[in-house]
Amino acid sequence: MKNLFKSAGDGNEHSWGHANFAKRSDIMSALDYGTLLIEVRIRRSDSTALHLPITSEQSFCRTMLKLFGNEESADVVFEVEEKGQQVHRSQKITQFHAHRFILKQCAPDLDALCGSSNSMVSVPIDDVKPGIFRNMLYYVYGGKVANEDLKSRAKEIIDAADKYGIVGLKLEAEACYVKSTQISLDNAIELLQYADSKNCALMKEAAVDFILENRVEVLEKVSLKDVPEGLFPDILAATARRDPVEGSGEKLSTMRICELRKRLHEKGLDFDGSRESLVARLKENA
């Protein structure tokens, strides 16, 4: 095959190729049985990217996970009761051993249930399924909940994480639910109600966006009597994003939830809550 193109560089500098195109006659004469074959050579510019060191954060997470479920060093045991099964009570209890010093830093609401005793404490839990509680505790110890669990049990995880203050897990499950759920005329209002009850601002934003995009059908086919109160700011924000006013620039009041949360996280602030609370927090700490 003929070499139709030459690099504009000498091999030791970045190049965007030759400034001129090849002649059509040269291309036609280079065809291989009617096919133009193109050879492309690519070189990685940063070879050090292949040899990234293991960070201290990764090492710390592995150390934390080694303590997960460790009965010898644990000073608290959560006894999670499985309800709704016709079995002996002792068979319905699943025990999860944990450490107060980890709960105190990473799950204060769970730590508060343990009281002030310095000896081994047993804490009954009867409002969360054992599998969900395990996911929650595993997350507290630095583990990552499987995407399959987040997707199939998102609402249960959101409920538990919201109740016990595991914000990071709640928001991960919320994001997974929004990504995997097809919003329709049949579930938009129900989704709004649930999002409002759990302060899931991202979920509420997705539902409001759908309603505005399909506003005529919604008005004709959906009952709006059960729409949560206090929705007006979310509707105005979504409307402003759809029809921005010239010169208005980037405003916190109309910003996407993911961007508001990102800014709060970068400032080390709490990034859970409604749109109004997120915006207020950023303004207070501007």
Side-chain angles (χ1 to χ4, degrees):
M1 177 179 174
K2 294 182 180 181
N3 292 322
L4 302 180
F5 301 91
K6 292 183 180 179
S7 171
D10 60 4
N12 295 316
E13 58 182 318
H14 294 294
S15 170
W16 289 97
H18 201 276
N20 298 320
F21 293 99
K23 294 181 179 179
R24 185 177 185 278
S25 58
D26 290 338
I27 294 177
M28 296 302 294
S29 63
L31 297 180
D32 185 3
Y33 295 101
T35 302
L36 178 63
L37 302 177
I38 301 177
E39 181 181 351
V40 180
R41 297 182 181 182
I42 301 175
R43 181 179 62 186
R44 180 185 289 272
S45 61
D46 183 11
S47 59
T48 59
L50 295 173
H51 309 286
L52 294 175
I54 296 176
T55 64
S56 58
E57 182 179 354
Q58 292 171 316
S59 178
F60 177 75
C61 285
R62 283 200 296 268
T63 301
M64 286 274 284
L65 282 173
K66 288 180 181 178
L67 293 174
F68 178 69
N70 189 308
E71 296 184 25
E72 292 185 7
S73 58
D75 53 6
V76 59
V77 57
F78 292 100
E79 297 185 335
V80 184
E81 182 177 356
E82 179 70 71
K83 290 183 176 294
Q85 295 184 4
Q86 298 301 318
V87 293
H88 192 272
R89 188 177 187 279
S90 62
Q91 294 177 293
K92 294 194 293 182
I93 299 295
T94 304
Q95 293 188 331
F96 296 93
H97 291 78
H99 304 78
R100 293 284 301 273
F101 75 95
I102 292 178
L103 298 178
K104 187 173 183 179
Q105 296 298 321
C106 304
D109 289 357
L110 284 177
D111 178 59
L113 299 177
C114 303
S116 57
S117 174
N118 293 322
S119 57
M120 174 65 80
V121 177
S122 295
V123 179
I125 301 289
D126 60 5
D127 54 2
V128 180
K129 293 179 180 178
I132 299 298
F133 191 86
R134 184 192 183 282
N135 281 335
M136 189 168 64
L137 200 59
Y138 186 69
Y139 184 90
V140 167
Y141 276 73
K144 184 169 179 60
V145 178
N147 286 332
E148 184 179 339
D149 282 347
L150 285 174
K151 186 175 180 179
S152 63
R153 311 175 82 175
K155 278 192 173 182
E156 290 179 282
I157 292 175
I158 291 172
D159 291 344
D162 182 64
K163 179 178 177 62
Y164 291 106
I166 315 299
V167 173
L169 179 58
K170 171 190 171 182
L171 300 189
E172 279 192 31
E174 178 196 16
C176 183
Y177 186 81
V178 170
K179 184 178 179 180
S180 61
T181 299
Q182 183 69 40
I183 304 178
S184 67
L185 296 175
D186 295 327
N187 65 9
I189 302 302
E190 179 185 350
L191 201 64
L192 267 181
Q193 292 173 326
Y194 180 77
D196 186 68
S197 68
K198 300 298 178 182
N199 263 335
C200 291
L202 184 68
M203 190 183 298
K204 182 186 284 188
E205 180 179 79
V208 170
D209 284 345
F210 172 85
I211 290 172
L212 285 180
E213 289 171 6
N214 302 273
R215 51 192 177 276
V216 175
E217 286 186 276
V218 170
L219 286 171
E220 291 181 348
K221 301 178 182 179
V222 178
S223 172
L224 301 178
K225 65 179 182 178
D226 294 324
V227 170
E229 295 181 1
L231 198 62
F232 197 53
D234 298 272
I235 294 175
L236 285 179
T239 303
R241 285 194 300 271
R242 289 170 58 88
D243 304 304
V245 177
E246 185 177 353
S248 61
E250 190 178 44
K251 302 290 187 180
L252 290 176
S253 57
T254 62
M255 199 172 287
R256 286 283 182 186
I257 294 298
C258 57
E259 180 61 27
L260 293 173
R261 287 175 174 174
K262 178 183 176 183
R263 295 192 179 199
L264 286 165
H265 178 65
E266 289 173 348
K267 290 176 176 287
L269 301 171
D270 178 21
F271 46 89
D272 187 24
S274 65
R275 164 177 289 280
E276 294 88 341
S277 64
L278 300 182
V279 170
R281 221 168 288 148
L282 280 171
K283 288 182 177 179
E284 289 171 4
N285 295 273

